[in-house]
Amino acid sequence: MAKNGSKSKNTAKPKSGAAAQTQAKILAQALPYMQRYGGTTVVVKYGGHAMGDEALAESFAKDIVLLKQAGVNPVVVHGGGPQIGRLLDELNIKSRFEDGLRVTDKETLDVVEMVLSGAINKSIVGAINAQGGQAVGISGKDANLMIARKTERRVTDPVSNIEKIIDLGYVGEPETVNTHIVDVIQKSDLIPVVAPIGASTEGETLNINADTFAGALAAALKAKRLLMLTDVDGVLDAKDKLIEQMAGTEARALIANGVVSGGMIPKVETCIDAVESGVEGVVIINGKVPHAVLLELFTEHGAGTLIGWPSGAPKPPQRL
Ligand code: ADP
Ligand code: MG
């Protein structure tokens, strides 16, 4: 772009003119994508592991502001696993995971809420605002956005075949989503940034896996896209090869046979649920790639793993 808005056609060197031409061409290529997504809601789950690096945080924030500028309504839901883990360590509070979910006692819950609703939420809000956006940070507690119930995990011992219930403590799963506050925010020039904390009908605070939260919110908002940014290229098969696309049934099988494990379990489960709930497209992508969001939405360069297509559809939809 010419400095001070002056026309540069007579002063530009041929090389920079060509570069500018290329740039203009690339911008023009984004038009059909902008038209496709203009006015729609795109929920972006920003993974705890994908947001460690400052330059990446800046490129993520730019993408979100650009989306908003292009008429798309981005809704950011963030995690914070590594940051919570660090503070728990510093405070000498022991913590463990079951099936990718953090077992959360009262002491841990206080740290979880402090880190998610406080430090991380406000740092993302700050990063977006530094790029000229107007982000508003909330959690699932605000205006009863996310009413949750305690999660019950049952596991069957493969040897004895006895089923037991794992007590995860203050871990919740979405029960009712009241989208009002997000609707109000996203329909203006503001960008909602949501921490995955909810409350039960009794007013108890519950820690909700950020993937699960993002999926429930995307379904309730009837989002056009749910992008799950994480720290790997997508779902890997038993030979560590990237799976570009798979149906819900295949994804379930990968969880059952243990190829998908740990934090990838709630992620894949969320993708399956979101597609079944009517979200048009759900993709797991590597948030460590600069401008991962723009690459996925505004270019042909679809990366990562696309999960699910409508049941009964004759073939997978074209890569969107
Ligand atoms: P996030 O912060 O993005 O939610 P998680 O650590 O919760 O990240 O989940 C992503 C992790 O899941 C990966 O870093 C990887 O270690 C793990 N994982 C387990 N099974 C798979 C798989 N089949 N393909 C890819 N990643 C997997
Ligand atoms: Mg996770």
Side-chain angles (χ1 to χ4, degrees):
M1 186 81 54
K3 272 188 195 142
N4 305 325
S6 63
K7 294 237 163 68
S8 62
K9 64 178 177 190
N10 296 327
T11 52
K13 290 175 191 147
K15 193 168 170 242
S16 64
Q21 268 293 337
T22 309
Q23 200 179 348
K25 217 168 147 185
I26 290 166
L27 283 170
Q29 281 165 359
L31 178 62
Y33 299 97
M34 290 180 179
Q35 287 166 331
R36 177 186 298 163
Y37 294 113
T40 72
T41 297
V42 173
V43 174
V44 183
K45 192 289 179 135
Y46 191 29
H49 289 100
M51 59 195 194
D53 176 294
E54 212 171 292
L56 276 177
E58 194 184 306
S59 97
F60 172 80
K62 272 196 182 126
D63 287 7
I64 296 298
V65 175
L66 197 146
L67 284 187
K68 189 75 182 180
Q69 196 72 42
V72 183
N73 296 319
V75 175
V76 178
V77 176
H78 61 85
Q83 296 82 345
I84 292 166
R86 270 199 296 278
L87 188 55
L88 286 173
D89 281 348
E90 278 171 31
L91 298 171
N92 245 326
I93 301 172
K94 295 266 169 292
S95 184
R96 68 187 166 86
F97 285 84
E98 294 278 359
D99 283 347
L101 300 175
R102 186 188 296 279
V103 179
T104 308
D105 60 11
K106 185 70 184 69
E107 215 181 5
T108 307
L109 180 69
D110 289 343
V111 173
V112 167
E113 186 168 28
M114 190 163 40
V115 172
L116 289 176
S117 292
I120 295 183
N121 189 276
K122 296 311 158 200
S123 90
I124 298 170
V125 165
I128 291 174
N129 293 353
Q131 298 305 325
Q134 294 199 70
V136 176
I138 56 171
S139 85
K141 281 184 171 179
D142 290 274
N144 295 318
L145 170 61
M146 189 64 73
I147 303 294
R149 61 173 167 271
K150 270 194 174 175
T151 300
E152 247 194 20
R153 278 268 161 177
R154 291 165 188 273
V155 289
T156 308
D157 187 295
V159 182
S160 65
N161 224 15
I162 294 172
E163 193 183 63
K164 64 170 184 177
I165 295 173
I166 304 172
D167 183 14
L168 296 167
Y170 295 94
V171 172
E173 56 195 56
E175 190 171 56
T176 312
V177 188
N178 302 300
T179 57
H180 179 61
I181 188 165
V182 173
D183 284 332
V184 169
I185 297 172
Q186 68 159 345
K187 281 191 180 126
S188 69
D189 53 349
L190 310 175
I191 300 167
V193 176
V194 192
I197 298 284
S200 69
T201 42
E202 288 81 38
E204 216 169 29
T205 301
L206 294 172
N207 173 20
I208 302 171
N209 176 275
D211 301 330
T212 317
F213 191 111
L217 185 56
L221 291 169
K222 299 185 174 53
K224 186 148 178 100
R225 286 281 174 281
L226 169 61
L227 306 184
M228 308 283 267
L229 270 58
T230 185
D231 62 344
V232 285
D233 286 339
V235 183
L236 307 177
D237 67 15
K239 289 178 182 151
D240 279 351
K241 204 174 147 282
L242 178 73
I243 301 168
E244 285 183 14
Q245 190 155 13
M246 63 179 160
T249 44
E250 267 176 87
R252 280 207 179 86
L254 290 180
I255 296 175
N257 68 18
V259 171
V260 163
S261 63
M264 197 47 84
I265 296 176
K267 213 176 292 301
V268 169
E269 282 176 342
T270 296
C271 295
I272 300 168
D273 290 349
V275 170
E276 285 174 359
S277 309
V279 178
E280 251 185 49
V282 187
V283 199
I284 299 175
I285 51 175
N286 193 345
K288 288 184 161 176
V289 174
H291 300 294
V293 173
L294 285 190
L295 272 172
E296 181 59 38
L297 290 178
F298 283 0
T299 75
E300 283 296 341
H301 184 89
T305 304
L306 178 77
I307 295 196
W309 51 87
S311 54
K315 62 178 169 58
Q318 68 180 96
R319 190 64 198 233
L320 294 167

